[in-house]
Amino acid sequence: MSTNATTQTGLITGLHHVTAISSSAAKNVEFYAGILGLRMVKKTVNFDAPDVYHLYYGDELGNPGSIMTFFPFGQNIRSGRGGKGQSTYTQFSIPVDAVSYWVDRLGKFGVAIEKPFERLGETVIQFRDFDGLGLELVATDRDDRPGFSYGDIPLDKSIRGFFGSTMSVGKHEFTYDLLTKYMDYRLEEESENRYRLSVDGTPGTYVDLVDDPKEEHAREGGGTVHHVAFATPTDASQLEIRELLMKQGFHPTQVIDRQYFHSIYFREPNGILFEVATNPPGFSVDEAVEELGTNLKLPAQYEAYREKLEGILEPISPPDFVKA
Ligand code: ZN
């Protein structure tokens, strides 16, 4: 299916995480842990604004390619607007025989869904979270990951992790070149204005570039994706890709320690904020695997303010209403 033979460097292995902006932390954990059945793998704060949570969801360990994260800024946040220059849909992977299960489940919790439709040979359920964030469940028989289920969701119906990220762009060529020439992506399929790229053709790595030149520019705010992070195996490979990007005229930041991974950030030519994040050390670096997400974890610089922060942040924990 691949039509272009680029040399792959192994510096990028797929998606690492997607970070979005939300309003209510309580509703956020209810939706992503409670309804979608993801594991809350870390409850920490925004390292640049510690009076706001940074919530991480994923599979059991929060493996790269499964991690959805949120900054819930509270009910007064200005809503964002979808459009070009933005990741407009985050796609999760489900088994092929789980479509009717999820249609029923989302309906039961009052989530408005579009009628499932076929796209590039796979069934897609499209919906939005309570802030309007675009989400999709893509049914595929090509996903070997075991998945994770919280509450009453049968494991054989559960979300496996990401399928991919749909990015709305003005001119796909620019982002396409960046991803295929320097970030190990290659064209897998195309249909009308959708260009599906992947590193190795497996769910968890896809980027769908959708050319929407007439679309309005996106506006960041509640219910929009803040950035998309790509996975790199090690600190050394991160420095290598950083060097490579700089040589091509991109402006990646210095390496920033995010406690659970190390990050560089840069804006791609259509305006979407990209990050490259290391796979290690992962979420068990400061919490035992069985306790992931249960304690408020603070980076060292904020430990001194723990009591104050605990007074500001609304208490949250995964709901038990999922027993249905
Ligand atoms: Zn990030």
Side-chain angles (χ1 to χ4, degrees):
M1 230 179 318
S2 179
T3 53
N4 57 343
T6 51
T7 313
Q8 291 195 299
T9 59
L11 297 178
I12 298 291
T13 55
L15 296 174
H16 187 284
H17 65 270
V18 173
T19 294
I21 301 169
S22 180
S23 57
S24 158
K27 279 194 200 166
N28 191 263
V29 67
E30 191 175 297
F31 193 91
Y32 288 91
I35 299 174
L36 296 189
L38 303 176
R39 184 176 191 190
M40 190 160 82
V41 290
K42 196 62 68 182
K43 180 163 55 172
T44 183
V45 294
N46 181 330
F47 288 9
D48 304 313
D51 55 341
V52 174
Y53 275 122
H54 192 180
L55 303 178
Y56 289 80
Y57 304 90
D59 62 13
E60 186 179 10
L61 300 175
N63 283 305
S66 78
I67 313 160
M68 185 81 203
T69 100
F70 291 92
F71 299 129
F73 279 99
Q75 295 291 5
N76 296 329
I77 190 174
R78 188 177 79 151
S79 290
R81 182 183 64 216
K84 69 184 174 192
Q86 192 181 65
S87 166
T88 44
Y89 285 94
T90 301
Q91 310 160 338
F92 291 95
S93 163
I94 57 168
V96 275
D97 66 353
V99 172
S100 58
Y101 174 85
W102 280 101
V103 168
D104 290 350
R105 182 175 180 85
L106 292 170
K108 194 167 72 182
F109 288 107
V111 180
I113 56 168
E114 301 292 326
K115 189 174 179 296
F117 59 91
E118 295 294 310
R119 187 177 62 209
L120 298 172
E122 283 158 333
T123 305
V124 179
I125 308 172
Q126 200 173 74
F127 56 104
R128 292 183 180 278
D129 80 356
F130 58 95
D131 283 313
L133 186 72
L135 300 170
E136 289 178 347
L137 299 178
V138 180
T140 177
D141 57 7
R142 299 178 294 110
D143 199 334
D144 297 332
R145 295 173 293 178
F148 177 78
S149 86
Y150 175 73
D152 68 338
I153 300 172
L155 187 59
D156 66 350
K157 306 289 187 218
S158 72
I159 287 174
R160 269 42 200 157
F162 288 136
F163 184 86
S165 167
T166 299
M167 299 180 185
S168 175
V169 292
K171 284 193 191 307
H172 80 274
E173 293 86 352
F174 297 141
T175 313
Y176 184 100
D177 275 6
L178 165 64
L179 287 166
T180 57
K181 287 185 179 159
Y182 313 114
M183 293 180 71
D184 285 337
Y185 271 79
R186 63 193 187 207
L187 181 67
E188 289 284 329
E189 288 188 75
E190 70 178 270
S191 163
E192 294 171 43
N193 62 340
R194 181 176 295 261
Y195 301 83
R196 173 160 291 177
L197 311 180
S198 171
V199 170
D200 59 7
T202 61
T205 71
Y206 288 107
V207 170
D208 286 1
L209 298 178
V210 176
D211 244 342
D212 282 324
K214 292 197 185 114
E215 179 91 28
E216 264 189 284
H217 278 283
R219 187 183 68 205
E220 194 171 282
T224 64
V225 167
H226 185 264
H227 62 265
V228 176
F230 295 86
T232 194
T234 63
D235 288 322
S237 62
Q238 182 174 57
L239 293 178
E240 241 182 286
I241 185 85
R242 183 171 182 275
E243 195 66 35
L244 190 65
L245 291 166
M246 285 196 300
K247 274 197 193 127
Q248 297 307 321
F250 295 99
H251 301 282
T253 62
Q254 294 291 331
V255 175
I256 300 172
D257 183 0
R258 294 303 188 195
Q259 183 84 359
Y260 310 107
F261 41 85
H262 303 144
S263 301
I264 57 171
Y265 302 84
F266 65 103
R267 228 166 258 284
E268 60 82 36
N270 275 295
I272 302 169
L273 186 60
F274 277 7
E275 174 182 345
V276 175
T278 56
N279 291 343
F283 294 99
S284 58
V285 71
D286 62 358
E287 214 172 12
V289 168
E290 52 279 10
E291 285 188 8
L292 288 179
T294 56
N295 311 293
L296 176 65
K297 303 307 292 186
L298 298 174
Q301 67 267 34
Y302 297 131
E303 261 315 329
Y305 306 101
R306 174 174 285 276
E307 211 174 314
K308 192 169 175 215
L309 290 171
E310 283 177 344
I312 296 169
L313 296 161
E314 58 176 315
I316 48 165
S317 56
D320 52 16
F321 68 78
V322 289
K323 305 271 180 268

PDB file of all heavy atoms in Angstrom, residues 16 19 22 36 38 44-45 65 95 116 161 169 172 196 199 254 262 280 282 284 289 308:
ATOM      1  N   HIS A  16       2.780   9.617  20.604  1.00  0.00           N
ATOM      2  CA  HIS A  16       3.080   9.428  22.030  1.00  0.00           C
ATOM      3  C   HIS A  16       1.849   9.805  22.853  1.00  0.00           C
ATOM      4  O   HIS A  16       1.253   8.968  23.501  1.00  0.00           O
ATOM      5  CB  HIS A  16       4.292  10.276  22.420  1.00  0.00           C
ATOM      6  CG  HIS A  16       4.794  10.031  23.812  1.00  0.00           C
ATOM      7  ND1 HIS A  16       4.157  10.524  24.929  1.00  0.00           N
ATOM      8  CD2 HIS A  16       5.871   9.334  24.270  1.00  0.00           C
ATOM      9  CE1 HIS A  16       4.819  10.132  26.023  1.00  0.00           C
ATOM     10  NE2 HIS A  16       5.865   9.412  25.640  1.00  0.00           N
ATOM     11  N   THR A  19      -2.663  16.141  23.798  1.00  0.00           N
ATOM     12  CA  THR A  19      -3.065  16.964  24.933  1.00  0.00           C
ATOM     13  C   THR A  19      -4.119  17.974  24.499  1.00  0.00           C
ATOM     14  O   THR A  19      -3.949  18.657  23.486  1.00  0.00           O
ATOM     15  CB  THR A  19      -1.845  17.695  25.533  1.00  0.00           C
ATOM     16  OG1 THR A  19      -0.973  16.715  26.089  1.00  0.00           O
ATOM     17  CG2 THR A  19      -2.255  18.678  26.628  1.00  0.00           C
ATOM     18  N   SER A  22      -9.681  21.384  28.469  1.00  0.00           N
ATOM     19  CA  SER A  22     -11.010  21.007  28.934  1.00  0.00           C
ATOM     20  C   SER A  22     -11.515  22.043  29.930  1.00  0.00           C
ATOM     21  O   SER A  22     -10.782  22.935  30.344  1.00  0.00           O
ATOM     22  CB  SER A  22     -10.910  19.616  29.587  1.00  0.00           C
ATOM     23  OG  SER A  22     -12.167  19.193  30.055  1.00  0.00           O
ATOM     24  N   LEU A  36     -15.472   6.212  28.633  1.00  0.00           N
ATOM     25  CA  LEU A  36     -14.591   5.555  27.651  1.00  0.00           C
ATOM     26  C   LEU A  36     -13.767   4.410  28.260  1.00  0.00           C
ATOM     27  O   LEU A  36     -13.210   3.586  27.542  1.00  0.00           O
ATOM     28  CB  LEU A  36     -13.656   6.576  26.986  1.00  0.00           C
ATOM     29  CG  LEU A  36     -14.338   7.654  26.139  1.00  0.00           C
ATOM     30  CD1 LEU A  36     -13.289   8.450  25.363  1.00  0.00           C
ATOM     31  CD2 LEU A  36     -15.367   7.061  25.172  1.00  0.00           C
ATOM     32  N   LEU A  38     -10.930   4.471  29.971  1.00  0.00           N
ATOM     33  CA  LEU A  38      -9.472   4.573  29.985  1.00  0.00           C
ATOM     34  C   LEU A  38      -8.991   4.607  31.437  1.00  0.00           C
ATOM     35  O   LEU A  38      -9.745   4.954  32.337  1.00  0.00           O
ATOM     36  CB  LEU A  38      -9.031   5.862  29.268  1.00  0.00           C
ATOM     37  CG  LEU A  38      -9.510   6.028  27.822  1.00  0.00           C
ATOM     38  CD1 LEU A  38      -9.082   7.392  27.273  1.00  0.00           C
ATOM     39  CD2 LEU A  38      -8.974   4.905  26.934  1.00  0.00           C
ATOM     40  N   THR A  44      -1.645  14.947  37.972  1.00  0.00           N
ATOM     41  CA  THR A  44      -0.622  15.903  38.364  1.00  0.00           C
ATOM     42  C   THR A  44      -1.096  17.302  37.982  1.00  0.00           C
ATOM     43  O   THR A  44      -2.293  17.486  37.734  1.00  0.00           O
ATOM     44  CB  THR A  44       0.751  15.532  37.741  1.00  0.00           C
ATOM     45  OG1 THR A  44       1.751  16.456  38.202  1.00  0.00           O
ATOM     46  CG2 THR A  44       0.733  15.533  36.225  1.00  0.00           C
ATOM     47  N   VAL A  45      -0.197  18.278  38.002  1.00  0.00           N
ATOM     48  CA  VAL A  45      -0.587  19.648  37.666  1.00  0.00           C
ATOM     49  C   VAL A  45       0.129  20.098  36.399  1.00  0.00           C
ATOM     50  O   VAL A  45       1.158  19.541  36.012  1.00  0.00           O
ATOM     51  CB  VAL A  45      -0.260  20.630  38.824  1.00  0.00           C
ATOM     52  CG1 VAL A  45      -1.120  20.314  40.045  1.00  0.00           C
ATOM     53  CG2 VAL A  45       1.229  20.603  39.170  1.00  0.00           C
ATOM     54  N   GLY A  65       1.275   6.104  22.612  1.00  0.00           N
ATOM     55  CA  GLY A  65       0.299   5.657  21.619  1.00  0.00           C
ATOM     56  C   GLY A  65      -1.074   5.410  22.228  1.00  0.00           C
ATOM     57  O   GLY A  65      -2.017   5.062  21.522  1.00  0.00           O
ATOM     58  N   PRO A  95     -11.974  -3.008  18.738  1.00  0.00           N
ATOM     59  CA  PRO A  95     -12.112  -4.210  17.908  1.00  0.00           C
ATOM     60  C   PRO A  95     -13.298  -4.089  16.943  1.00  0.00           C
ATOM     61  O   PRO A  95     -14.265  -3.380  17.229  1.00  0.00           O
ATOM     62  CB  PRO A  95     -12.371  -5.334  18.923  1.00  0.00           C
ATOM     63  CG  PRO A  95     -11.881  -4.795  20.228  1.00  0.00           C
ATOM     64  CD  PRO A  95     -12.122  -3.315  20.175  1.00  0.00           C
ATOM     65  N   PRO A 116     -22.639   5.401  12.618  1.00  0.00           N
ATOM     66  CA  PRO A 116     -21.330   4.890  12.212  1.00  0.00           C
ATOM     67  C   PRO A 116     -21.197   4.879  10.689  1.00  0.00           C
ATOM     68  O   PRO A 116     -22.158   4.580   9.986  1.00  0.00           O
ATOM     69  CB  PRO A 116     -21.323   3.466  12.769  1.00  0.00           C
ATOM     70  CG  PRO A 116     -22.260   3.509  13.927  1.00  0.00           C
ATOM     71  CD  PRO A 116     -23.330   4.489  13.543  1.00  0.00           C
ATOM     72  N   GLY A 161      -6.140   1.831  22.520  1.00  0.00           N
ATOM     73  CA  GLY A 161      -5.176   2.927  22.500  1.00  0.00           C
ATOM     74  C   GLY A 161      -5.587   3.841  21.368  1.00  0.00           C
ATOM     75  O   GLY A 161      -6.702   3.741  20.852  1.00  0.00           O
ATOM     76  N   VAL A 169      -5.674  20.922   7.819  1.00  0.00           N
ATOM     77  CA  VAL A 169      -4.589  21.807   7.381  1.00  0.00           C
ATOM     78  C   VAL A 169      -5.032  22.632   6.169  1.00  0.00           C
ATOM     79  O   VAL A 169      -5.988  22.286   5.479  1.00  0.00           O
ATOM     80  CB  VAL A 169      -3.312  20.999   7.024  1.00  0.00           C
ATOM     81  CG1 VAL A 169      -2.703  20.381   8.266  1.00  0.00           C
ATOM     82  CG2 VAL A 169      -3.598  19.926   5.991  1.00  0.00           C
ATOM     83  N   HIS A 172      -1.800  20.616   2.746  1.00  0.00           N
ATOM     84  CA  HIS A 172      -1.256  19.405   3.355  1.00  0.00           C
ATOM     85  C   HIS A 172       0.208  19.178   2.988  1.00  0.00           C
ATOM     86  O   HIS A 172       0.950  18.552   3.738  1.00  0.00           O
ATOM     87  CB  HIS A 172      -2.102  18.194   2.958  1.00  0.00           C
ATOM     88  CG  HIS A 172      -1.800  17.668   1.586  1.00  0.00           C
ATOM     89  ND1 HIS A 172      -2.386  18.164   0.458  1.00  0.00           N
ATOM     90  CD2 HIS A 172      -0.930  16.716   1.175  1.00  0.00           C
ATOM     91  CE1 HIS A 172      -1.912  17.533  -0.599  1.00  0.00           C
ATOM     92  NE2 HIS A 172      -1.026  16.657  -0.206  1.00  0.00           N
ATOM     93  N   ARG A 196      -3.635   9.651   4.519  1.00  0.00           N
ATOM     94  CA  ARG A 196      -3.362   8.863   5.735  1.00  0.00           C
ATOM     95  C   ARG A 196      -1.905   8.448   5.762  1.00  0.00           C
ATOM     96  O   ARG A 196      -1.438   7.688   4.917  1.00  0.00           O
ATOM     97  CB  ARG A 196      -4.284   7.643   5.806  1.00  0.00           C
ATOM     98  CG  ARG A 196      -3.914   6.720   6.948  1.00  0.00           C
ATOM     99  CD  ARG A 196      -5.054   5.799   7.334  1.00  0.00           C
ATOM    100  NE  ARG A 196      -6.145   6.554   7.950  1.00  0.00           N
ATOM    101  CZ  ARG A 196      -7.303   6.021   8.337  1.00  0.00           C
ATOM    102  NH1 ARG A 196      -7.513   4.724   8.161  1.00  0.00           N
ATOM    103  NH2 ARG A 196      -8.232   6.762   8.895  1.00  0.00           N
ATOM    104  N   VAL A 199       3.788   5.386  10.365  1.00  0.00           N
ATOM    105  CA  VAL A 199       5.187   4.980  10.454  1.00  0.00           C
ATOM    106  C   VAL A 199       5.336   3.538   9.964  1.00  0.00           C
ATOM    107  O   VAL A 199       6.238   3.219   9.202  1.00  0.00           O
ATOM    108  CB  VAL A 199       5.687   5.107  11.917  1.00  0.00           C
ATOM    109  CG1 VAL A 199       7.050   4.454  12.091  1.00  0.00           C
ATOM    110  CG2 VAL A 199       5.742   6.568  12.318  1.00  0.00           C
ATOM    111  N   GLN A 254      14.384  23.779  23.601  1.00  0.00           N
ATOM    112  CA  GLN A 254      15.318  22.919  24.334  1.00  0.00           C
ATOM    113  C   GLN A 254      14.543  21.712  24.863  1.00  0.00           C
ATOM    114  O   GLN A 254      13.316  21.748  24.914  1.00  0.00           O
ATOM    115  CB  GLN A 254      15.893  23.693  25.533  1.00  0.00           C
ATOM    116  CG  GLN A 254      16.766  24.874  25.162  1.00  0.00           C
ATOM    117  CD  GLN A 254      18.086  24.452  24.521  1.00  0.00           C
ATOM    118  OE1 GLN A 254      18.600  23.370  24.819  1.00  0.00           O
ATOM    119  NE2 GLN A 254      18.601  25.270  23.631  1.00  0.00           N
ATOM    120  N   HIS A 262      10.604  13.261  28.350  1.00  0.00           N
ATOM    121  CA  HIS A 262      11.319  14.498  28.036  1.00  0.00           C
ATOM    122  C   HIS A 262      10.808  15.002  26.697  1.00  0.00           C
ATOM    123  O   HIS A 262      10.539  14.194  25.801  1.00  0.00           O
ATOM    124  CB  HIS A 262      12.832  14.245  28.003  1.00  0.00           C
ATOM    125  CG  HIS A 262      13.345  13.678  29.291  1.00  0.00           C
ATOM    126  ND1 HIS A 262      14.357  12.752  29.359  1.00  0.00           N
ATOM    127  CD2 HIS A 262      12.934  13.883  30.571  1.00  0.00           C
ATOM    128  CE1 HIS A 262      14.562  12.436  30.629  1.00  0.00           C
ATOM    129  NE2 HIS A 262      13.709  13.089  31.384  1.00  0.00           N
ATOM    130  N   PRO A 280      10.851   6.585  27.630  1.00  0.00           N
ATOM    131  CA  PRO A 280      11.128   6.531  29.067  1.00  0.00           C
ATOM    132  C   PRO A 280      11.117   7.928  29.702  1.00  0.00           C
ATOM    133  O   PRO A 280      11.270   8.905  28.951  1.00  0.00           O
ATOM    134  CB  PRO A 280      12.551   5.933  29.124  1.00  0.00           C
ATOM    135  CG  PRO A 280      13.190   6.246  27.826  1.00  0.00           C
ATOM    136  CD  PRO A 280      12.073   6.432  26.822  1.00  0.00           C
ATOM    137  N   GLY A 282       8.409   7.052  31.795  1.00  0.00           N
ATOM    138  CA  GLY A 282       7.065   6.495  31.934  1.00  0.00           C
ATOM    139  C   GLY A 282       6.432   6.826  33.279  1.00  0.00           C
ATOM    140  O   GLY A 282       7.044   7.450  34.148  1.00  0.00           O
ATOM    141  N   SER A 284       5.367   5.035  35.841  1.00  0.00           N
ATOM    142  CA  SER A 284       5.649   4.344  37.102  1.00  0.00           C
ATOM    143  C   SER A 284       6.908   4.902  37.768  1.00  0.00           C
ATOM    144  O   SER A 284       7.368   4.376  38.765  1.00  0.00           O
ATOM    145  CB  SER A 284       5.768   2.833  36.862  1.00  0.00           C
ATOM    146  OG  SER A 284       6.790   2.586  35.917  1.00  0.00           O
ATOM    147  N   VAL A 289       2.719   0.774  39.782  1.00  0.00           N
ATOM    148  CA  VAL A 289       1.793   0.496  38.676  1.00  0.00           C
ATOM    149  C   VAL A 289       0.356   0.348  39.172  1.00  0.00           C
ATOM    150  O   VAL A 289      -0.576   0.898  38.592  1.00  0.00           O
ATOM    151  CB  VAL A 289       2.241  -0.759  37.885  1.00  0.00           C
ATOM    152  CG1 VAL A 289       1.141  -1.225  36.938  1.00  0.00           C
ATOM    153  CG2 VAL A 289       3.518  -0.458  37.119  1.00  0.00           C
ATOM    154  N   LYS A 308      -1.340  23.991  49.750  1.00  0.00           N
ATOM    155  CA  LYS A 308      -2.059  25.078  49.092  1.00  0.00           C
ATOM    156  C   LYS A 308      -2.754  24.582  47.814  1.00  0.00           C
ATOM    157  O   LYS A 308      -3.935  24.856  47.569  1.00  0.00           O
ATOM    158  CB  LYS A 308      -1.061  26.195  48.766  1.00  0.00           C
ATOM    159  CG  LYS A 308      -1.720  27.473  48.355  1.00  0.00           C
ATOM    160  CD  LYS A 308      -0.724  28.628  48.299  1.00  0.00           C
ATOM    161  CE  LYS A 308      -1.441  29.848  47.760  1.00  0.00           C
ATOM    162  NZ  LYS A 308      -0.583  30.681  46.937  1.00  0.00           N
TER     163      LYS A 308
END
